[in-house]
Amino acid sequence: NIFLQYEQFKVASAKDKYKLTVGEFQGTTTNPMAVHNGMYFTTKDSDNDEWDRNCAIDNYAYTPTGGWWYKDCDNIQPNVLYNYYYAIFLNFKWHSLTFIEIKIRPHNCNI
């Protein structure tokens, strides 16, 4: 299992193209979201990544299936099929995802 926890995980408004801000990191691996920090959300009809093509449509040899805070079509890609599985690129290796869960709570929550 891979566990990631961020002190801050903020998604801006539509006006700001859903810009992602992530804060301090704790987890069982390196920080895979660091490359996505400050990126705008890219979809098939709204190309906001830094690659010369749209990562939500043309993502190297992989099969893109949806939007994400792409930078250059690498790292965490839960909406990209790799060998017919959703995957995460971590530590220079692909890991198949059978399940992904994102939990968000208010910063001042004391749970």
Side-chain angles (χ1 to χ4, degrees), residues 42-47 49 51 53-60 62-66 70:
T42 289
T43 62
K44 292 178 181 183
D45 61 349
S46 183
D47 183 7
D49 56 66
W51 200 38
R53 293 179 282 191
N54 185 333
C55 292
I57 296 173
D58 185 6
N59 192 344
Y60 303 117
Y62 317 124
T63 307
T65 59
Y70 297 106

Side-chain angles (χ1 to χ4, degrees), residues 41-108:
F41 200 78
T42 289
T43 62
K44 292 178 181 183
D45 61 349
S46 183
D47 183 7
N48 298 307
D49 56 66
E50 294 182 356
W51 200 38
D52 61 343
R53 293 179 282 191
N54 185 333
C55 292
I57 296 173
D58 185 6
N59 192 344
Y60 303 117
Y62 317 124
T63 307
T65 59
W68 189 248
W69 294 279
Y70 297 106
K71 181 173 182 172
D72 55 4
C73 307
D74 239 342
N75 223 353
I76 293 181
Q77 301 179 29
N79 297 314
V80 173
L81 290 176
Y82 174 74
N83 289 342
Y84 305 103
Y85 295 98
Y86 292 97
I88 180 173
F89 189 71
L90 209 48
N91 299 332
F92 303 101
K93 181 180 174 188
W94 283 102
H95 302 269
S96 295
L97 295 176
T98 55
F99 176 78
I100 187 170
E101 182 175 37
I102 298 174
K103 296 179 181 180
I104 299 174
R105 64 180 177 213
H107 186 294
N108 60 355

Side-chain angles (χ1 to χ4, degrees), residues 10-12 16-22 33-42 48-51 68-73:
K10 179 181 174 184
V11 178
D16 294 319
K17 301 179 185 176
Y18 305 104
K19 182 179 178 179
L20 178 67
T21 304
V22 295
M33 290 297 288
V35 71
H36 303 284
N37 191 31
M39 296 310 303
Y40 300 98
F41 200 78
T42 289
N48 298 307
D49 56 66
E50 294 182 356
W51 200 38
W68 189 248
W69 294 279
Y70 297 106
K71 181 173 182 172
D72 55 4
C73 307

